[in-house]
Amino acid sequence: MKLDAKIPEGPLAEKWSKHKFNLKLVNPSNKRKYTVIVVGTGLAGSSAAASLAELGYNVKAFCYQDSPRRAHSIAAQGGINAAKNYRNDGDSVQRLFYDTIKGGDYRSREGNVYRLAEVSVNIIDQCVAQGVPFAREYGGLLDNRSFGGAQVSRTFYARGQTGQQLLLGAYSALNRQIHEGKVEMFSRHEMLDVVTVDGKAQGIIARNLVTGEIETHAAHAVLLCTGGYGNVYYLSTNAMGCNVTAAWRAHKRGAFFSNPCFTQIHPTCIPVSGDHQSKLTLMSESLRNDGRVWVPKTKELAAQLREGKIKATDLKEDERDYFLERKYPSFGNLVPRDVASRNAKEMVDEGKGVGTSGVAVYLDFADAISRLGEDAVRAKYGNLFDMYYQITDENPYKQPMRIYPAVHYTMGGLWVDYNLQTTVPGLYALGEANFSDHGANRLGASALMQGLADGYFVIPYTLGDYLATIGPKAIDVNHPAFTETKKAVEERLQKLLSLKGSKTVDEYHRELGKIMWEYCGMSRSEEGLKKAKKLIQDLKADFWKNAIVLGTNEEFNMSLEKAGRVADFIELGELMIDDALDRNESCGGHFRVESQTEEGEALRDDEKFAYVAAWEYTGENKPEALHKEDLKFENVKLSQRSYK
Ligand SMILES: Cc1cc2nc3c(=O)[nH]c(=O)nc-3n(C[C@H](O)[C@H](O)[C@H](O)COP(=O)(O)OP(=O)(O)OC[C@H]3O[C@@H](n4cnc5c(N)ncnc54)[C@H](O)[C@@H]3O)c2cc1C
């Protein structure tokens, strides 16, 4: 299959407008003849479902939580980017576009990224109209702060709970449509497969998580807004339920999976404290507006800190190394996440790590507190400081926070074209579930922007084009494809339930996470990746022999749910390894130790790797086929990324 990204011709700034004009429309009275399935009700899914229902389509929306408003999007803390230039500090659509392309280390499509920057301004207006309580300045205008990889302040925020407030906005819009009868909501339902008829997506198979009933749902199109797969690493900042199952099952039905190895490791998380943990906690990037990252200048001082002989506050200025400010004077503490994370690791590897484990660096607010006062710092970041205190029992107003990088976001995902359609006609992917806009490293506050851009402003246009093409003829839920897919789902569930070994599914998940973190985490090497591939294959074989899954299908069964998700994670893990092995260059968060500059920065190889990797499933235990979408850069010059 030849990949066609369908990027419109013409000047960058006109592509989206022209494309919208060229797309087919569905007449208002015909819209009610179509049904659209939206799987996922995070920011991408809620905004899409509400917007499509508002247009007049019938929508069936699914989520596995007990309420759509519990989607992982609610965890987002720091903010959402938009090129509003309220600060008059030089921002523009062009600059947001440029920062995002550069931030992603030139591994994303110009056309998509420009569109994202263009619609970013509409998102803020839409959310304000919904009543999202963005922080305001004294004069009443919306306030902004800075995030990594930018020299302007373009991040809109609602304290440290921006995701929650945005989701409440989208959820209200969704509820309005549920009330109007245009959205039928299926909470506590897990999509377990996509049904394709004549190569087109025409429905899904979902399990009612309370009763175990396996249901078939038909529609003219299916939208996967099912979030990211960072939990393949077991420990991550993602919500515990985040998983890859929907995307992975779609992959097995023909949707190509792109850049699976592109993972974001966030620099400011509360460090791992022991083997008992099942989750890590983010300390928002917004904290780097005022917090200064440092380690002791010498290994000896670091050792004394670790042994508790001295305290961080005992160290004088000239005994501290503010390594980000020293190495990157232009961007300082606000370098992009991949750069900040690698530098923290470097300090720890040099023996300058702090905390009892030695695997942490400091994030210090003493300067900000003396400059602005404790009250001002509390007003900006109070809930984050409280969270840190509750988890560590250390008071960040009095001593620096300890932070360390952790898995946070996945830039990889289902391949989609400019219309957000996967390689399966009628099957779309939105939000973190697709690979589209962030290249090899996502800039902070750009995920919320992308999810809402996809849901509020892109899919309402592009889906109509497809629907107008296929026409409103009813979809037959009795087609044999539905029966066959349902049977395959039931058989797989039975296979999982038949596992009566001795190792819990959680144990497998933890082992997988360790392999992924060690060999496909912050740095990757050919040797390590080859080793990891074998380890994962062995783990998979062991899982299907020795795992234990409790209970039956006909009940609320979290053991069964988890087993299915972990089995999918194991398979995904192997593909991530293949992808990381294939990409023998460093770019963004993908750091191949064989490919680095003399200063230890990621070294791209544009000649060989300026492409999107799109993997095609070819069958159980068979190597996947790699397709390449070449990336064309006509508006930016490829250069070594520098934040100095
Ligand atoms: C701690 C944290 C803080 C963050 N802060 C920020 C920030 O400040 N700014 C920013 O831009 N980004 C931030 N991010 C990233 C951002 O929150 C996510 O990328 C974004 O919210 C993802 O939204 P989504 O709609 O794509 O998916 P999600 O919000 O993850 O929603 C997924 C939905 O899919 C459903 N689902 C999944 N699988 C199935 C299935 N098989 N069947 C049925 N339903 C299914 C779930 O029930 C859920 O409704 C943060 C991430 C984390 C972890």
Side-chain angles (χ1 to χ4, degrees), residues 580-633:
L581 256 175
D582 171 75
R583 194 170 281 276
N584 189 8
E585 66 158 353
S586 295
C587 54
H590 170 63
F591 191 72
R592 282 286 300 262
V593 293
E594 299 91 344
S595 181
Q596 49 182 307
T597 65
E598 277 176 13
E599 290 160 318
E601 306 284 355
L603 181 63
R604 293 195 321 270
D605 180 349
D606 295 327
E607 288 269 298
K608 291 200 191 119
F609 295 100
Y611 61 75
V612 172
W615 296 89
E616 179 184 11
Y617 182 77
T618 56
E620 191 70 22
N621 294 325
K622 290 198 185 137
E624 298 220 358
L626 173 62
H627 300 256
K628 297 176 184 175
E629 177 201 331
D630 290 329
L631 290 165
K632 290 192 202 77
F633 294 95

Side-chain angles (χ1 to χ4, degrees), residues 389-528:
Y389 179 59
Q390 279 160 17
I391 293 173
T392 63
D393 199 26
E394 291 167 13
N395 181 349
Y397 293 101
K398 303 284 176 229
Q399 64 188 96
M401 287 181 177
R402 287 172 301 106
I403 50 150
Y404 197 65
V407 172
H408 178 65
Y409 180 88
T410 44
M411 281 77 68
L414 293 177
W415 184 90
V416 288
D417 63 16
Y418 190 70
N419 294 326
L420 304 181
Q421 186 167 251
T422 68
T423 44
V424 177
L427 182 68
Y428 291 76
L430 282 66
E432 197 173 335
N434 72 27
F435 88 101
S436 69
D437 296 354
H438 307 293
N441 170 60
R442 172 176 72 80
L443 290 185
S446 286
L448 302 184
M449 171 173 72
Q450 182 228 327
L452 290 180
D454 288 358
Y456 283 135
F457 296 106
V458 179
I459 201 73
Y461 292 91
T462 59
L463 184 66
D465 187 66
Y466 172 76
L467 295 177
T469 312
I470 60 164
K473 193 168 159 264
I475 304 294
D476 180 10
V477 78
N478 295 315
H479 188 284
F482 281 87
T483 331
E484 282 158 24
T485 315
K486 184 177 178 209
K487 190 162 163 267
V489 165
E490 284 165 344
E491 282 170 4
R492 186 181 159 90
L493 289 167
Q494 284 314 317
K495 193 171 164 199
L496 286 167
L497 283 164
S498 72
L499 294 175
K500 294 292 170 233
S502 55
K503 255 169 89 172
T504 66
V505 166
D506 259 338
E507 285 175 80
Y508 285 98
H509 195 179
R510 198 189 295 261
E511 267 178 49
L512 173 69
K514 280 194 176 144
I515 300 170
M516 296 303 294
W517 179 246
E518 167 107 27
Y519 302 107
C520 196
M522 270 202 278
S523 64
R524 298 141 183 214
S525 69
E526 183 178 347
E527 193 193 345

Side-chain angles (χ1 to χ4, degrees), residues 329-390:
S330 304
F331 283 71
N333 293 295
L334 280 172
V335 287
R337 293 173 178 178
D338 54 335
V339 178
S341 293
R342 266 198 294 282
N343 275 279
K345 180 175 184 302
E346 204 177 300
M347 293 299 132
V348 166
D349 291 349
E350 282 177 18
K352 295 180 186 163
V354 298
T356 41
S357 67
V359 187
V361 300
Y362 287 131
L363 180 65
D364 197 337
F365 294 86
D367 274 3
I369 291 173
S370 71
R371 193 176 67 247
L372 308 167
E374 193 171 312
D375 285 348
V377 170
R378 182 172 283 111
K380 278 185 176 174
Y381 312 115
N383 67 322
L384 300 172
F385 276 46
D386 289 349
M387 201 158 48
Y388 182 83
Y389 179 59
Q390 279 160 17

Side-chain angles (χ1 to χ4, degrees), residues 211-397:
T211 63
E213 190 185 340
I214 308 300
E215 302 173 5
T216 44
H217 295 270
H220 293 86
V222 176
L223 275 48
L224 299 185
C225 314
T226 46
Y229 52 85
N231 280 349
V232 65
Y233 289 84
Y234 187 69
L235 286 182
S236 89
T237 62
N238 289 7
M240 294 289 289
C242 291
N243 67 86
V244 76
T245 288
W248 192 251
R249 307 286 169 96
H251 176 53
K252 289 185 155 183
R253 295 275 169 202
F256 290 7
F257 210 110
S258 269
N259 302 334
C261 80
F262 284 178
T263 310
Q264 176 156 87
I265 317 265
H266 196 298
T268 57
C269 303
I270 300 182
V272 175
S273 61
D275 270 350
H276 59 282
Q277 272 177 293
S278 48
K279 160 134 192 47
L280 295 176
T281 305
L282 175 75
M283 286 288 105
S284 166
E285 180 160 310
S286 59
L287 294 170
R288 282 196 277 145
N289 274 264
D290 287 306
R292 299 180 68 193
V293 181
W294 64 275
V295 289
K297 265 199 181 143
T298 64
K299 286 197 280 190
E300 292 69 30
L301 283 169
Q304 288 179 36
L305 279 162
R306 288 197 293 271
E307 289 157 18
K309 291 184 181 151
I310 51 172
K311 297 198 295 290
T313 45
D314 295 335
L315 265 66
K316 300 193 195 68
E317 274 305 296
D318 62 1
E319 291 174 319
R320 302 169 176 209
D321 179 11
Y322 296 92
F323 54 94
L324 293 178
E325 295 172 33
R326 170 172 59 80
K327 288 177 74 175
Y328 309 97
S330 304
F331 283 71
N333 293 295
L334 280 172
V335 287
R337 293 173 178 178
D338 54 335
V339 178
S341 293
R342 266 198 294 282
N343 275 279
K345 180 175 184 302
E346 204 177 300
M347 293 299 132
V348 166
D349 291 349
E350 282 177 18
K352 295 180 186 163
V354 298
T356 41
S357 67
V359 187
V361 300
Y362 287 131
L363 180 65
D364 197 337
F365 294 86
D367 274 3
I369 291 173
S370 71
R371 193 176 67 247
L372 308 167
E374 193 171 312
D375 285 348
V377 170
R378 182 172 283 111
K380 278 185 176 174
Y381 312 115
N383 67 322
L384 300 172
F385 276 46
D386 289 349
M387 201 158 48
Y388 182 83
Y389 179 59
Q390 279 160 17
I391 293 173
T392 63
D393 199 26
E394 291 167 13
N395 181 349
Y397 293 101

